[in-house]
Amino acid sequence: MSVFDRLRGHEEVVFVNEPSVGLRAIVAIYSTALGPSCGGTRFRPYASEDAALADVLDLSQAMAYKTACAGLDLGGGKAVIIGDPARDKTEALLLAYADCLQSLGGRYYTACDVGTYVEDMDVLAQRCDFVTGGSPSHGGAGDSSILTAVGVFAAMRAAAAHVWGEASLAGRRVAIEGAGKVGSRLAAHLLGDGASVVITDVDDAAVARVAGVDVVAPDALLDEPMDVFAPCALGGSLSVDSVGRLSARIVCGGANNQLATPDVAQLLADRNIAYVPDFVANAGGIIQVGAEICGYSEADARAKTEAIFDTTRDVLAAADSEGLLPERVAEQRAEARMRSIKRP
């Protein structure tokens, strides 16, 4: 299959190669129908270039759905840098990457993602005007994972209201896969709401930083008794096999592209598990990005993030009434908005 055959309506895919600094990156712009595309830069040691391309194509499409469902006048894009951030990330590499982003002329705005942080955005901003999520001291709004966790918690409360009739996780047990930037903050929200939390991560140090939770090995989490499963690590953790092990009634988390294959959505429905589409639940970060591009107001960004509660409630209710999967309901709404408000 050629590269063009793999595109699903993507407007532009840019391959970046700068051997002098070890930079290999891919920027994918899925849609600018509603505005400039936005999405984080992921820095990962991908198993292959093919895996990196597959990831950036999937993530950029999901970002377009995410911005549309969140009511933002932004499109969807994503970028990946191939390499181990602990070993390969250098100032020279980041500045070369910034030059590439600048050359796109504002068609793509970037922010933090897996393997990139606020400090990296500050470096990019030295040479690129289309960077968000930098530190407040450098004119940015800071770490977008803070609002991402707020949004996931709001979506989870809405799902709880849908399933159990009460918008609270008090007395429920939530299993969080991933103790990174979003997972650790989500745990704090849940504990504050009266939930009990069991968490896992491949990084023992990350788990150790999360207080007040039970900890299990990564391969044991799915077999834990739980009311809610929250995927907050990398995508694809929900497979036919893994869903068969879940005792949860709700799946709602911060990871992107949680379903390993499309048929998993139907399997979740068949098992009476309410699934909140990831691009609905984890939109808090992109809401912050949108607010920063348009003139940042923390209160406004938080209010729009809290509104993920209403979006989630509406999507789950429509899925029941229309006999559709929640993911398909959310996709249809996003696609309809992109068609109806497309810029000239």
Side-chain angles (χ1 to χ4, degrees), residues 69-340:
C69 282
L72 303 176
D73 295 327
L74 297 171
K78 202 77 174 184
V80 297
I81 298 175
I82 303 171
D84 182 348
R87 182 193 64 217
D88 302 323
K89 188 192 299 180
T90 63
E91 182 180 22
L93 181 149
L94 291 174
L95 290 175
Y97 174 61
D99 289 339
C100 164
L101 299 186
Q102 183 69 14
S103 73
L104 295 175
R107 282 176 51 77
Y108 170 68
Y109 281 77
T110 199
C112 302
D113 198 83
V114 175
T116 58
Y117 300 89
V118 169
E119 296 79 11
D120 300 322
M121 298 304 106
D122 288 343
V123 175
L124 296 180
Q126 295 176 33
R127 300 255 279 262
C128 180
D129 299 322
F130 311 110
V131 178
T132 66
S135 63
S137 62
H138 285 73
D143 190 348
S144 61
S145 68
I146 296 172
L147 282 189
T148 302
V150 169
V152 174
F153 181 55
M156 197 178 291
R157 289 175 51 247
H162 181 80
V163 172
W164 298 304
E166 185 178 3
S168 172
L169 282 304
R172 305 293 178 182
R173 193 166 195 247
V174 181
I176 301 178
E177 180 184 55
K181 292 181 281 189
V182 175
S184 59
R185 291 187 167 98
L186 176 61
H189 289 297
L190 290 165
L191 293 171
D193 196 38
S196 62
V197 175
V198 56
I199 198 167
T200 195
D201 198 290
V202 294
D203 184 349
D204 292 338
V207 172
R209 289 191 288 268
V210 185
V213 301
D214 298 327
V215 178
V216 297
D219 59 0
L221 184 68
L222 294 176
D223 298 316
E224 285 286 313
M226 66 181 81
D227 298 295
V228 182
F229 177 58
C232 293
L234 295 174
S237 66
L238 289 166
S239 65
V240 171
D241 291 338
S242 65
V243 169
R245 294 164 60 187
L246 287 177
S247 59
R249 286 292 316 283
I250 294 169
V251 170
C252 177
N256 291 306
N257 297 335
Q258 296 167 14
L259 308 184
T261 54
D263 57 335
V264 174
Q266 184 61 57
L267 178 59
L268 288 166
D270 292 343
R271 296 200 59 221
N272 198 30
I273 299 173
Y275 172 60
V276 181
D278 47 50
F279 57 85
V280 172
N282 65 16
I286 199 66
I287 288 170
Q288 176 174 309
V289 168
E292 191 171 346
I293 292 171
C294 300
Y296 185 64
S297 162
E298 182 177 356
D300 181 59
R302 182 169 285 269
K304 288 181 178 178
T305 301
E306 294 284 1
I308 290 174
F309 179 98
D310 299 319
T311 304
T312 301
R313 180 194 59 194
D314 292 347
V315 165
L316 293 177
D320 282 356
S321 65
E322 298 171 21
L324 296 173
L325 298 173
E327 185 174 45
R328 188 60 196 137
V329 170
E331 288 173 348
Q332 288 179 345
R333 293 184 176 191
E335 290 163 355
R337 184 165 183 262
M338 284 188 279
R339 286 194 303 269
S340 65

Side-chain angles (χ1 to χ4, degrees), residues 5-89:
D5 290 336
R6 295 177 65 174
L7 305 185
R8 300 181 294 274
H10 289 77
E11 295 179 7
E12 185 175 0
V13 179
V14 179
F15 293 83
V16 186
N17 183 46
E18 183 48 71
S20 65
V21 295
L23 174 63
R24 291 184 301 155
I26 309 172
V27 181
I29 297 173
Y30 181 77
S31 173
T32 58
L34 300 176
S37 67
C38 297
T41 293
R42 180 166 294 192
F43 203 137
R44 273 192 69 194
Y46 287 95
S48 65
E49 294 172 2
D50 188 71
L53 177 60
D55 201 28
V56 78
L57 293 178
D58 288 344
L59 290 167
S60 56
Q61 182 176 15
M63 288 304 304
Y65 288 158
K66 187 181 303 188
T67 57
C69 282
L72 303 176
D73 295 327
L74 297 171
K78 202 77 174 184
V80 297
I81 298 175
I82 303 171
D84 182 348
R87 182 193 64 217
D88 302 323
K89 188 192 299 180

